[in-house]
Amino acid sequence: MHDQHRDQLVETGHQTRLSDIDALADLGIRAVRYPILWEKVAAAGAGTLDFAWHDERLRRLRDRGVEVIAGLLHHGTGPEGVELTDPDFPEKFAAFAGEVARRYPWITRWTPVNEPFTTARFSYLYGIWHPHRTSFDEALRVLVAEIEATALAMAAIRAINPAALLVATEDLGKTFSTAELAYQAAHENHRRWLTFDLMTGRVGPKHPFYNWLVKAGVAPERLAALREGGARPDLLAIDHYLTSERYLDHRIEKYPGVEPGDNGRHRYVDVEAVRVPHLRSRLGPKRRLMEAWRRYRLPMVVGEVHHGCSREEQTRWLAQVWRETEEARAEGADVRAITLWALFGAVDWRSLMTRREGNYDTGAFETRGPEARPTLVAKAAATLAETGHFDHPALDGAPWWRRPGRVYRPGAGLREGPIAGRPLLVTGRGGTLGQAFARLCHHRGLAHVLTDRRRLDITDATQIEQVLDAVAPWALINTAGFVRVPEAEQQPEDCFRINATGPELLAAACRRRGIPFVTFSSDLVFDGQLGRAYVEPDPTSPATVYGHSKAAAEERVLALDPEALIVRTSAFFGPWDRANFLATTLASLHRGEEVAASDNAFVTPTYVPDLVHATLDLLLDGEHGLWHLANAGSISWHGLAREIADRRGIAARRIVDSGGPRTDTSLATSRGQILRPLDHALDDYVRFAEAVLG
């Protein structure tokens, strides 16, 4: 990813969706950090400014009563040809800030440079971002230049609007360590304050980093000028993530798979402190907020609350931050707001944008559809802001950072026990999908009950009522069904009874109780003759008994409960069963047997873990109606067999075309492609199947 420009506004779709402004205003948001980025306004060069895109959006924000906190530089360097190391960078940046202030004199809150030391570290110390330097001295010089640029920018802005306020942002994550590495932890803990210490004029000759800065080439008179207070913040935004706090351990053998580092004196691992159990009482946003409050006595906000994970984990983190912020306020800290960052998600931030993989993590909104739609996180935030409380059964379970199986416990092999809390009810213990839901609900800390046909016959209305009374689930996911497609032609009554009547009875029972209902349908509700992939609004056209039974189920369930969620999927395969097409194909090839598969029948194969995660997210978001969930990519059965053989290094000469009429029941979607490309899913299948199935 060296020297490739990426624009998150484009990659999350916000660039072309003016309706996003209304979505965030409708959520009740009263202020938003909004980008007026130098490199975007001056895309044609530093001397040419184009504000047309920003004019439209800032006008809409103002009309909707949303205050703008203007961000001018966010982990970037500005227009092409400008570097943070340029001697005239601060002056050029300040000139741009003045132009923005003249254009929008009504903006009163400004973040000229976002997270100055985070940018300096990742670009000039760690070498991760442009210009990929690895010099501590250069990182310190860049940090000072960013603070000077902030001071000059605020002076230029206040020349237009004397009431303008500086909102300064930085990550204040603390470092912990073993006794042997206490010196390294002390160095990093002094370093974490540098941004705000420089801004508040605290860096004098007695400061722990004063000599470091001078040695790095920062003239003492520059530090003296900063002590005059030109960059003093009016509001501190403390950006705190689950991974902000770190633990340094020289016992590298206790952390297999973790790449150690070296400071020239010790080799050690640098791991997430949140995964180290004995540190638990010393971690969290409240403690970092209280430290900042005692040090600066300035008004604060929690600057970023984001967790790139599943819906319930994102919401558990938001709830924890809210709770700890309220505790900090009760102890006297002046904390004024919590920021949902990023509202519309982010692409490839899992790898800090070092790889172009297209991994999208939702924010408060999911943006992979025609319009941004609010997620569970958005609904939780709106409720917290209105009432101060948010309750959802998915929050009953412990978050991953507090579960035994997800923490570093050198020398201990503790396992997670049953998950407490209000349960989901999942039918279909005997099937691949039911087993996958149980496995992944456990992985996500979601309490659940998985039933088989003996405990819950979905065609028995009385038994359904009895089980629902006994379990009292907050939602029901039906994975049970008649799945033997060829046999359905000989057993149509059984097929319809299980596939249509069963979901109908379950939907009716859930409707009476007011709980969400989820069931699964199939691409075989279509005959494959449309000539393109099918989307949700397309009329059904089943060609088989099985397809007719699934189409009947859809019609009956939605007639009973328009709020039900029906997931159409196709040809699913997973790493935990030996009966799917890919597993049986590989087994036959390993035995030297011929595999016959049609090169005329096209489908959209679906990776079961992706399907289950996406379904759970939709359920938690409160979505309903018909959704197509399948990995992106259409392929014939013959082509799929060859793909998996290639990935396992098996010669494909024994894979033959079985012929047959051309059909294409591939699924596309008009609601947003949530599942990743098929190629990525197949890669994962091979990796995990090798470990699970051998």
Side-chain angles (χ1 to χ4, degrees):
M1 292 302 298
H2 275 33
D3 302 323
Q4 292 186 30
H5 176 79
R6 297 185 66 172
D7 188 336
Q8 290 286 300
L9 299 179
V10 172
E11 294 189 41
T12 62
H14 180 67
Q15 173 77 18
T16 56
R17 283 194 314 269
L18 184 61
S19 58
D20 284 0
I21 304 299
D22 295 315
L24 69 89
D26 291 342
L27 195 61
I29 291 173
R30 296 189 294 272
V32 62
R33 283 175 59 190
Y34 203 76
I36 313 176
L37 300 180
W38 192 10
E39 65 268 22
K40 198 168 185 71
V41 176
T48 304
L49 304 182
D50 181 357
F51 288 100
W53 185 88
H54 300 83
D55 286 346
E56 186 176 28
R57 279 141 186 88
L58 294 172
R59 186 184 308 115
R60 179 68 66 88
L61 284 165
R62 195 178 185 191
D63 290 345
R64 291 301 308 267
V66 180
E67 181 183 3
V68 171
I69 304 166
L72 306 182
L73 202 65
H74 193 108
H75 298 325
T77 61
E80 187 174 350
V82 175
E83 297 290 347
L84 301 181
T85 51
D86 294 345
D88 55 356
F89 164 73
E91 289 76 14
K92 287 182 177 179
F93 180 69
F96 169 69
E99 291 295 331
V100 179
R102 275 186 284 276
R103 187 88 176 186
Y104 311 112
W106 48 271
I107 297 178
T108 59
R109 297 181 189 269
W110 299 78
T111 301
V113 179
N114 175 68
E115 293 185 345
F117 197 42
T118 299
T119 297
R121 284 187 294 131
F122 281 78
S123 294
Y124 291 89
L125 178 58
Y126 305 153
I128 294 175
W129 296 335
H130 175 84
H132 314 291
R133 309 278 172 75
T134 54
S135 165
F136 186 51
D137 287 352
E138 194 166 21
L140 292 178
R141 292 196 297 270
V142 164
L143 171 63
V144 172
E146 291 176 294
I147 305 303
E148 291 172 330
T150 296
L152 291 176
M154 289 309 300
I157 291 166
R158 285 168 176 151
I160 308 299
N161 183 353
L165 302 175
L166 170 58
V167 180
T169 62
E170 193 59 90
D171 186 325
L172 295 181
K174 193 169 185 174
T175 300
F176 302 85
S177 72
T178 56
E180 286 81 355
L181 290 165
Y183 70 95
Q184 181 67 32
H187 170 82
E188 296 185 15
N189 285 328
H190 287 308
R191 190 181 76 179
R192 72 189 176 111
W193 299 111
L194 259 180
T195 293
F196 292 156
D197 279 2
L198 286 165
M199 287 182 149
T200 55
R202 298 169 65 98
V203 182
K206 294 184 178 180
H207 191 278
F209 260 81
Y210 183 84
N211 290 332
W212 284 93
L213 289 161
V214 173
K215 176 180 174 294
V218 180
E221 54 267 26
R222 293 172 66 190
L223 297 175
L226 288 175
R227 290 199 295 276
E228 295 175 5
R232 182 177 178 80
D234 298 288
L235 191 68
L236 298 180
I238 313 301
D239 300 343
H240 187 82
Y241 288 81
L242 273 165
T243 56
S244 292
E245 294 157 312
R246 313 298 299 177
Y247 181 64
L248 312 180
D249 195 333
H250 65 287
R251 300 166 298 175
I252 59 179
E253 70 280 357
K254 293 183 179 293
Y255 300 85
V258 178
E259 185 70 25
D262 191 326
N263 64 4
R265 181 172 165 186
H266 279 100
R267 279 173 60 79
Y268 57 89
V269 295
D270 179 339
V271 298
E272 313 94 314
V274 74
R275 296 180 65 184
V276 180
H278 75 267
L279 296 175
R280 183 168 295 173
S281 64
R282 303 164 66 186
L283 304 178
K286 174 192 171 183
R287 291 164 182 82
R288 306 294 80 85
L289 287 169
M290 293 307 299
E291 287 175 343
W293 171 247
R294 287 190 290 266
R295 190 178 184 95
Y296 301 112
R297 296 288 171 173
L298 288 172
M300 298 182 295
V301 300
V302 178
E304 297 181 6
V305 178
H306 187 72
H307 181 32
C309 201
S310 55
R311 294 291 196 278
E312 72 288 341
E313 298 289 25
Q314 289 181 310
T315 311
R316 288 166 181 160
W317 177 236
L318 172 60
Q320 179 177 329
V321 173
W322 183 278
R323 182 176 62 254
E324 293 196 29
T325 301
E326 288 292 283
E327 292 171 359
R329 285 162 57 93
E331 293 184 18
D334 184 1
V335 189
R336 301 186 177 182
I338 289 176
T339 308
L340 289 176
W341 182 273
L343 272 179
F344 300 105
V347 180
D348 284 340
W349 273 93
R350 301 180 198 179
S351 65
L352 293 173
M353 297 186 71
T354 57
R355 298 189 295 273
R356 190 179 288 276
E357 297 172 325
N359 287 321
Y360 172 75
D361 290 308
T362 59
F365 293 91
E366 158 69 71
T367 66
R368 288 173 292 186
E371 298 292 336
R373 62 176 181 83
T375 67
L376 178 66
V377 175
K379 296 165 186 177
T383 303
L384 285 168
E386 183 177 353
T387 69
H389 303 280
F390 179 70
D391 178 60
H392 191 285
L395 274 62
D396 291 352
W400 70 257
W401 54 97
R402 293 188 180 276
R403 297 203 294 272
R406 304 295 293 279
V407 299
Y408 294 113
R409 289 183 181 268
L414 299 182
R415 301 182 60 138
E416 296 185 53
I419 298 167
R422 291 165 285 182
L424 277 167
L425 179 61
V426 182
T427 69
R429 178 190 291 272
T432 296
L433 204 51
Q435 288 291 326
F437 267 100
R439 184 186 295 266
L440 294 178
C441 280
H442 186 82
H443 174 76
R444 291 171 61 154
L446 296 170
H448 60 281
V449 173
L450 178 62
T451 64
D452 57 21
R453 187 175 301 177
R454 287 176 297 177
R455 182 176 181 187
L456 175 55
D457 180 349
I458 66 171
T459 66
D460 185 330
T462 300
Q463 196 173 49
I464 290 171
E465 296 292 340
Q466 291 171 345
V467 171
L468 287 175
D469 286 342
V471 175
W474 65 267
L476 192 158
I477 299 175
N478 176 44
T479 73
F482 189 107
V483 297
R484 303 178 303 278
V485 176
E487 295 179 26
E489 301 299 324
Q490 287 74 48
Q491 304 174 51
E493 292 183 3
D494 286 345
C495 180
F496 265 80
R497 181 172 53 84
I498 296 170
N499 282 356
T501 303
E504 181 182 17
L505 293 174
L506 292 170
C510 289
R511 182 69 170 176
R512 285 192 292 272
R513 286 167 170 75
I515 63 173
F517 174 61
V518 182
T519 194
F520 288 84
S521 189
S522 166
D523 60 332
L524 294 181
V525 298
F526 304 113
D527 61 11
Q529 302 303 310
L530 185 62
R532 60 162 171 79
Y534 292 89
V535 294
E536 290 88 350
D538 287 329
T540 59
S541 54
T544 64
V545 168
Y546 177 85
H548 277 287
S549 73
K550 288 294 187 179
E554 293 179 3
E555 183 178 352
R556 295 181 195 179
V557 167
L558 290 177
L560 279 168
D561 185 4
E563 297 302 307
L565 172 62
I566 299 178
V567 174
R568 284 185 186 142
T569 189
S570 169
F572 56 72
F573 62 97
W576 305 302
D577 73 275
R578 298 178 183 272
N580 67 72
F581 175 77
L582 296 185
T584 57
T585 294
L586 290 173
S588 296
L589 292 175
H590 278 301
R591 292 192 298 267
E593 298 171 356
E594 185 177 270
V595 173
S598 174
D599 207 19
N600 284 330
F602 286 79
V603 292
T604 44
T606 306
Y607 189 46
V608 168
D610 292 354
L611 172 64
V612 171
H613 281 305
T615 301
L616 288 170
D617 286 344
L618 290 175
L619 170 63
L620 292 170
D621 290 345
E623 292 299 327
H624 61 276
L626 283 166
W627 282 77
H628 286 183
L629 294 185
N631 291 102
S634 175
I635 193 170
S636 71
W637 290 107
H638 182 269
L640 183 60
R642 296 184 66 90
E643 283 285 338
I644 200 64
D646 288 346
R647 280 171 167 77
R648 289 295 296 265
I650 302 171
R653 61 180 179 275
R654 294 185 182 276
I655 302 173
V656 298
D657 180 10
S658 63
R662 181 175 179 83
T663 61
D664 186 350
T665 58
S666 301
L667 299 178
T669 178
S670 60
R671 307 193 72 166
Q673 181 59 45
I674 297 175
L675 272 62
R676 59 188 167 153
L678 175 61
D679 284 349
H680 296 184
L682 288 173
D683 290 341
D684 271 4
Y685 172 78
V686 169
R687 182 165 62 253
F688 290 122
E690 285 176 346
V692 175
L693 302 178

